Amino acid sequence: MTGTEDVRDIVLWLIVANVGAFCLMVWDKEAARIGSWRISEKTLILSSLVGGSIGALCASILARHKTRKQPIATILRAMPLLHAGLALFWAERLMLP
């Protein structure tokens, strides 16, 4: 695999992970609204951790879901910062000989 293919695969993964995390958050909000079966907070956090942090955070804000409940609200806000730090670390490693 070349570096370009690696980047393409990572970008594709991030798109899928963010769309998936967004959908899970919105689905859980709707389930809460109608009193149906809910998605566990562990699953929501895991979907954010594996790359869907921006999607989960956007859904949280747009759907007004899990915005005040702790600790998940703090985790959802911190996860994009963690991912940004990892991306910067990874990018720096690619640039160095």
Side-chain angles (χ1 to χ4, degrees):
M1 236 191 242
T2 67
T4 304
E5 289 173 341
D6 290 342
V7 170
R8 185 198 68 215
D9 291 346
I10 290 169
V11 169
L12 182 61
W13 170 254
L14 290 174
I15 290 169
V16 169
N18 279 288
V19 169
F22 186 94
C23 291
L24 284 174
M25 289 292 288
V26 171
W27 183 349
D28 189 54
K29 172 64 177 191
E30 182 62 15
R33 190 182 70 74
I34 64 174
S36 182
W37 176 83
R38 303 283 304 277
I39 297 170
S40 74
E41 287 186 359
K42 287 180 184 179
T43 301
L44 297 174
I45 291 169
L46 183 61
S47 72
S48 177
L49 178 66
V50 298
S53 61
I54 300 296
L57 182 59
C58 287
S60 176
I61 292 167
L62 293 173
R64 296 182 183 161
H65 188 50
K66 304 286 186 189
T67 57
R68 292 183 292 177
K69 185 165 186 202
Q70 294 300 332
I72 191 169
T74 301
I75 293 169
L76 290 176
R77 282 169 175 69
M79 200 68 67
L81 298 174
L82 171 68
H83 287 151
L86 289 171
L88 289 173
F89 177 76
W90 179 68
E92 181 183 349
R93 301 287 242 167
L94 287 178
M95 290 184 202
L96 294 176

